[in-house]
Amino acid sequence: VQKQVQVPMITKQQKMVDVPQVEMVDEIVDVPVQKQVQVPMVTKVQKMVDVPQVEIIEKVVEVPVQRQVQVPMITKVQKTVEVPQVEVVDRDVHIPVQKHRHVPMVTVAQKMVDVPQVEYVDKIVEVPVQKQVQVPMITKQQKMVDVPQVEMVDEIVDVP
């Protein structure tokens, strides 16, 4: 008895297939360079500081006051004064005996006389007066003050 069996047979057939290809393309990429930067760090240190304080102390100071006082002053003024003088008039009288006599004669003469006059002249005389003036006085007082200081910290960063 013969038996027929179908045996598969390989046949080659051409077929178009898309095969992916790897293509190398160089692209320039900027890689950032890491740089070390020193960053200042603020630390607080306490420090004693003298802070001046103003204290007001009153002090009595004498201040002169000017006062006007009238001081009399004598000035001499020349004045013309008429001084009456006795005038004697001669009369001729017939007397049997002739005598010569000196008879005073009155004449008017001008004479310069100093007459004192009082003149008031104001003179400024200083009279001391006490005045109070405030004089500031400085006192020192200690105060705590924070003084910031910069601390440099180095940090090393590895760049791949």
Side-chain angles (χ1 to χ4, degrees):
V1 186
Q2 270 195 343
K3 200 173 171 184
Q4 269 194 339
V5 180
Q6 287 188 351
V7 177
M9 187 171 169
I10 297 173
T11 59
K12 290 187 180 178
Q13 194 177 12
Q14 284 193 346
K15 193 174 178 185
M16 292 294 279
V17 178
D18 288 336
V19 177
Q21 297 271 332
V22 175
E23 183 180 354
M24 300 296 269
V25 176
D26 289 338
E27 184 177 329
I28 297 173
V29 176
D30 287 334
V31 176
V33 176
Q34 292 187 354
K35 184 176 173 184
Q36 283 187 0
V37 176
Q38 291 184 349
V39 178
M41 192 163 181
V42 176
T43 59
K44 290 184 179 180
V45 174
Q46 289 189 347
K47 185 176 178 183
M48 298 295 273
V49 177
D50 287 338
V51 178
Q53 295 286 324
V54 175
E55 180 181 337
I56 295 175
I57 294 179
E58 293 185 1
K59 183 179 177 185
V60 176
V61 178
E62 291 187 15
V63 177
V65 172
Q66 292 183 349
R67 223 172 107 192
Q68 290 187 354
V69 178
Q70 290 187 350
V71 178
M73 190 170 181
I74 297 175
T75 58
K76 291 184 178 181
V77 178
Q78 287 187 351
K79 282 190 178 179
T80 305
V81 177
E82 288 189 22
V83 178
Q85 296 200 359
V86 179
E87 183 178 340
V88 178
V89 178
D90 287 336
R91 273 196 199 168
D92 288 334
V93 178
H94 292 290
I95 299 173
V97 179
Q98 286 188 345
K99 288 186 181 179
H100 288 286
R101 246 196 245 173
H102 292 285
V103 179
M105 187 172 168
V106 176
T107 57
V108 176
Q110 289 187 348
K111 188 176 180 183
M112 299 298 268
V113 178
D114 287 338
V115 178
Q117 287 189 343
V118 176
E119 180 181 340
Y120 289 101
V121 177
D122 289 340
K123 184 176 179 183
I124 296 173
V125 178
E126 292 186 6
V127 177
V129 170
Q130 290 185 349
K131 185 176 180 182
Q132 289 187 351
V133 177
Q134 291 185 350
V135 178
M137 186 171 178
I138 295 176
T139 58
K140 291 186 177 179
Q141 181 178 353
Q142 287 190 349
K143 246 188 192 175
M144 297 293 281
V145 178
D146 287 339
V147 178
Q149 292 190 349
V150 176
E151 180 181 313
M152 300 301 249
V153 177
D154 290 339
E155 186 176 319
I156 299 174
V157 179
D158 291 331
V159 178

